[in-house]
Amino acid sequence: MSQAHTTPPTLREWLSTDTPRSRFQARSIAIWNAWRTLSSNGLAMLGLAIIVVLVLMALFAPWIATHEPNAQNLTGRLNPPGWEGHLLGTDELGRDIFSRIVFGARVTLYIVALVAVTAPVFGLIVGTVAGTMGGWTDRVLMRMTDIFLAFPRLILALAFVAALGPGIFNAVLAIALTAWPAYARVARAETLTVRRSDYIAAARLQGASTFRIITGHVMPMCLSSVIVRVTLDMAGIILTAAGLGFLGLGAQPPQAEWGAMISTGRQYLLSHWWVATIPGIAILTVSLGFNLLGDALRDVLDPRAATK
Amino acid sequence: MSQPPRIEVENLTVTFGEGRRHVVAVDRVSFRVEPGESYGLVGESGSGKSTVLRAICGLAPIEGGRVLIDGQNLTGARSRAFTRQVQMVFQDPYGSLHPRHTIDRILSEPLSIHGFQGRDQRITQALEDVGLDPAFRFRLPHQLSGGQRQRIAIARALILEPTVLLLDEPTSALDASIQAEILNLLTRLRREKQLTYLFVSHDLAVIDHMCDRLLVMRGGKAVEEMTDGALASRDVDSDYTRALMKASEGFVRPGAA
C-alpha cells in the first residue's frame, strides 16, 4: 500500500497500487495493466512493431527515401535490387522501388486511418441505437444494415468508386460505406447482451436519458469488440484498397500506392520479379502486423476474458 | 388519516407476453406503506414479488390498477422527480454495477444527472454512510467483494437522498455473515435517514427481522397480510404461510425432533 511510504511513491508503485487516489491514477493503472498483458505477448509486440515502423516510415518518408519517388530514369529501368544504390531495384519507368514503398506507406496509412475513424464509429452508433431502442428503430436500422451486407464488399466498393470517380478519397469513402454494417452488427449483438442488465436498469432509475445510457453505459461495453474487429479488419481494408489500386480505381498514377505498384509490375512478373513482389511483401507484412495486434487486443480488451 | 400513504398499490396487475405466452405475473395486488415504515413482500420465486417492485419504478408495464407515491398516481415514464424520491437496490451486486465504471463514476453519475453541487463531498459522505473506506473510490467493481459491491449499490441508491428505497432481495446473493452486515447497515440507514423500505425476499426470517408489516404472495396473488407480531406468535391464516415459515427454519434432520 502506498500510504505506508513516507517518501513519494515511485512511478511503478504509483501504477501498481490497488487503491488509486484520483481518476487520473485509476485510468493510468488500467492502461498500464492492459499494456503489461499486451507486452507479454511476443507476437502482438511483433505486430505492434510492424505498425510502428509503418507509421514512422510514413511520417519521415522524405528523409528515409533514397530517391524522389516519382523521378523517372528511362535508361535505368527494371534494374534488380542493389543496382547503383537502388536498394530494391527500379520499376518500368526507372523509379526507385524502395522510395515508392516508403511514400506508399503514407497512402496506406491515410486509407487505414480514415476508414478506421469513420466506419466503426458509424457502425457503433447504428448498432447501439438499434439495440438499445429496439422496436421500429431497430427494425429499420437493421434492415438497412442487411441491405448493405447483402452486397459483396469489393463489388459495392467498385460500384461506388466507378460512380464517384477514381481517387484515394473516393476509395476510402467506398471502403467505409461497405465496412460499417459489420460493426453495426457486432455493436448491436453486444448491446442486446447488456440492455437488460441491472446496471442499465439502475441508470434508468436514476433518471439517465436514453442518450446518456447509450453513450455512457452501452457504448463502453461494445467498444472493445468493435476495436478488436477494426484491427482484424485492417488487413482486409488494406487489401481492398490495394485491390482498388490494382484495378486502377484507387490512387492515380504517378502517386505511389502499393496496389497500383503490383498492378503495373504484373506485366513483368516473370522476367523482373521484384517489381510486383516487393510491394506485395509490403502489403503482406502490414496486414500481418494488424492481424497479430488484433488477436492480442482481443485477449486484452474482451470484457468476458477480463482478469478478476 | 391526514397524510396519504407513502406507497399505495391498488389492484396492481402486471402481464407479460401475448396469446399463448401470456403470463399474469402480478394479479390484483393491493397494499399500502406508511411513511417511515418497512414493508415486506414474501413469497417463493416466481410469486411476482420482484415484479411489483419493477412495476413501481417503471421497469415492468402496469396492466391494471394504480400505483401512488405520496398520493400521486404514477403513469407513463417515470419523471426525474420520481427518481429523486424512489430508488432501488438490486438483487445481484455482480450485475447491478457497470463493470467498466469506477466506484467514483458510479456514484457521481446520478449527481450529475440531477445537477447536484459538491459532488466530491457527497461521494465521500456516501461511502462513509455505507461503511466503506474512501480508498475504494477509484476502484473498479471487480476489485471489490460481493458485500462491498452491495454497499456501493446501496450508496448509489441513497446518494440522491430518496425517501423510498425498494430492496429486491438485497442479501440473497451474499453469504450468511455478509447478509447480517448488510441487514444491519440497512436498519441503521433507515433509522438515520427516516427511509421507507419496501423489502422483497423469499426468506421469512430476513423479512421478520427487517419489516414492520408484510404481505405473503403466491403465484402473483396476495395470500395474506400480517404484522411483525403475528409472525412471532405464529398467528397465521394460510397453509402457504405456514409452509414458508417451516422452510425458513431451515433443514431439520429427520427423526431428530
Side-chain angles (χ1 to χ4, degrees):
Chain A
M1 297 279 250
S2 57
Q3 287 99 318
H5 293 278
T6 44
T7 52
T10 64
L11 184 64
R12 188 164 283 269
E13 281 168 349
W14 189 78
L15 280 172
S16 58
T17 174
D18 59 352
T19 52
R21 303 279 191 78
S22 66
R23 270 160 228 197
F24 171 71
Q25 192 183 359
R27 192 155 299 171
S28 310
I29 289 172
I31 294 169
W32 170 244
N33 286 340
W35 167 250
R36 271 204 320 194
T37 320
L38 193 66
S39 60
S40 65
N41 183 336
L43 281 176
M45 285 299 99
L46 178 66
L48 188 67
I50 292 172
I51 294 161
V52 168
V53 167
L54 177 78
V55 171
L56 291 178
M57 217 155 86
L59 273 178
F60 301 107
W63 292 275
I64 294 172
T66 50
H67 295 73
E68 185 61 31
N70 295 329
Q72 302 182 4
N73 174 13
L74 291 177
T75 54
R77 62 199 288 269
L78 295 171
N79 279 309
W83 181 79
E84 282 187 4
H86 294 286
L87 272 176
L88 299 173
T90 58
D91 67 5
E92 79 285 358
L93 295 171
R95 297 174 293 194
D96 181 51
I97 292 180
F98 174 72
S99 305
R100 287 180 70 74
I101 292 280
V102 171
F103 274 88
R106 284 188 162 183
V107 179
T108 302
L109 210 60
Y110 173 80
I111 292 172
V112 164
L114 266 183
V115 173
V117 298
T118 51
V121 174
F122 187 66
L124 185 66
I125 294 170
V126 169
T128 49
V129 169
T132 315
M133 311 271 285
W136 273 106
T137 321
D138 184 32
R139 265 175 240 169
V140 170
L141 287 175
M142 279 304 114
R143 290 305 77 77
M144 238 167 70
T145 312
D146 283 345
I147 292 170
F148 272 88
L149 272 176
F151 285 101
R153 200 159 147 181
L154 189 61
I155 307 289
L156 188 60
L158 270 176
F160 274 121
V161 176
L164 297 169
I168 305 181
F169 186 76
N170 287 344
V172 168
L173 203 63
I175 295 169
L177 278 170
T178 54
W180 69 267
Y183 304 116
R185 274 301 176 86
V186 169
R188 178 172 175 272
E190 206 72 30
T191 306
L192 291 183
T193 64
V194 302
R195 67 182 279 211
R196 296 246 171 257
S197 64
D198 281 351
Y199 53 85
I200 302 288
R204 257 183 235 286
L205 269 187
Q206 284 155 1
S209 58
T210 306
F211 176 77
R212 186 185 275 266
I213 286 174
I214 291 176
T215 54
H217 295 258
V218 174
M219 276 190 186
M221 296 308 287
C222 306
L223 209 55
S224 44
S225 317
V226 170
I227 290 176
V228 169
R229 180 83 208 230
V230 171
T231 30
L232 291 175
D233 273 359
M234 277 308 156
I237 290 165
I238 293 170
L239 290 178
T240 312
L244 288 175
F246 182 85
L247 294 168
L249 295 169
Q252 294 304 297
Q255 189 172 30
E257 199 271 332
W258 296 350
M261 286 166 75
I262 296 180
S263 170
T264 49
R266 183 177 54 110
Q267 304 159 36
Y268 313 99
L269 192 60
L270 290 180
S271 51
H272 308 91
W273 58 268
W274 58 89
V275 183
T277 309
I278 286 162
I281 291 172
I283 292 172
L284 173 80
T285 314
V286 172
S287 304
L288 189 69
F290 276 110
N291 269 343
L292 291 176
L293 185 68
D295 256 346
L297 272 183
R298 177 167 51 200
D299 298 342
V300 175
L301 292 174
D302 190 352
R304 276 171 292 271
T307 45
K308 291 271 160 146
Chain B
M1 207 181 332
S2 58
Q3 205 179 354
R6 181 124 289 160
I7 308 171
E8 186 169 8
V9 173
E10 263 182 27
N11 287 322
L12 177 70
T13 304
V14 179
T15 61
F16 294 112
E18 283 166 17
R20 282 175 135 197
R21 291 165 66 202
H22 187 77
V23 178
V24 180
V26 179
D27 190 6
R28 285 163 291 158
V29 170
S30 303
F31 60 89
R32 37 170 60 199
V33 186
E34 302 303 327
E37 195 184 16
S38 176
Y39 194 91
L41 292 177
V42 205
E44 59 195 4
S45 51
S47 61
K49 54 197 192 312
S50 293
T51 311
V52 172
L53 288 198
R54 297 182 85 86
I56 290 174
C57 49
L59 296 172
I62 297 177
E63 195 67 33
R66 304 196 292 167
V67 176
L68 297 97
I69 299 283
D70 287 334
Q72 295 211 326
N73 197 358
L74 297 176
T75 47
R78 300 293 179 268
S79 66
R80 266 193 192 182
F82 171 84
T83 63
R84 280 282 304 276
Q85 204 178 6
V86 181
Q87 279 294 317
M88 181 157 162
V89 175
F90 292 85
Q91 176 175 8
D92 179 13
Y94 291 89
S96 66
L97 302 179
H98 197 290
R100 302 244 154 172
H101 289 176
T102 58
I103 306 311
D104 176 62
R105 168 118 194 241
I106 288 168
L107 294 180
S108 64
E109 182 138 30
L111 296 177
S112 81
I113 291 171
H114 292 272
F116 277 56
Q117 298 300 313
R119 289 182 206 166
D120 269 348
Q121 203 190 328
R122 281 174 192 272
I123 291 169
T124 324
Q125 181 62 42
L127 286 173
E128 205 175 289
D129 280 347
V130 296
L132 283 177
D133 196 276
F136 285 109
R137 184 169 163 189
F138 296 101
R139 286 200 192 180
L140 286 164
H142 71 79
Q143 294 169 302
L144 304 182
S145 71
Q148 288 168 338
R149 285 173 179 228
Q150 197 61 299
R151 282 167 194 266
I152 295 294
I154 293 168
R156 173 178 62 185
L158 290 178
I159 206 159
L160 290 174
E161 299 167 355
T163 51
V164 177
L165 206 55
L166 307 176
L167 297 142
D168 184 7
E169 308 222 23
T171 58
S172 65
L174 307 171
D175 65 52
S177 61
I178 313 289
Q179 270 191 25
E181 279 179 31
I182 297 290
L183 291 177
N184 289 338
L185 170 71
L186 288 169
T187 310
R188 174 170 66 79
L189 289 169
R190 182 162 83 97
R191 200 175 53 232
E192 284 175 7
K193 297 178 188 287
Q194 281 97 46
L195 296 163
T196 306
Y197 281 179
L198 183 53
F199 200 109
V200 161
S201 180
H202 62 269
D203 190 341
L204 211 53
V206 168
I207 291 282
D208 185 31
H209 178 69
M210 292 299 295
C211 302
D212 312 323
R213 289 191 303 140
L214 61 101
L215 181 73
V216 180
M217 287 183 68
R218 185 188 199 181
K221 291 191 171 72
V223 176
E224 70 174 305
E225 190 175 53
M226 52 206 290
T227 59
D228 196 18
L231 199 63
S233 61
R234 310 211 150 208
D235 180 15
V236 297
D237 294 336
S238 73
D239 290 339
Y240 180 63
T241 314
R242 226 162 270 133
L244 269 183
M245 285 175 74
K246 197 158 176 30
S248 74
E249 283 160 8
F251 175 70
V252 180
R253 191 185 296 253

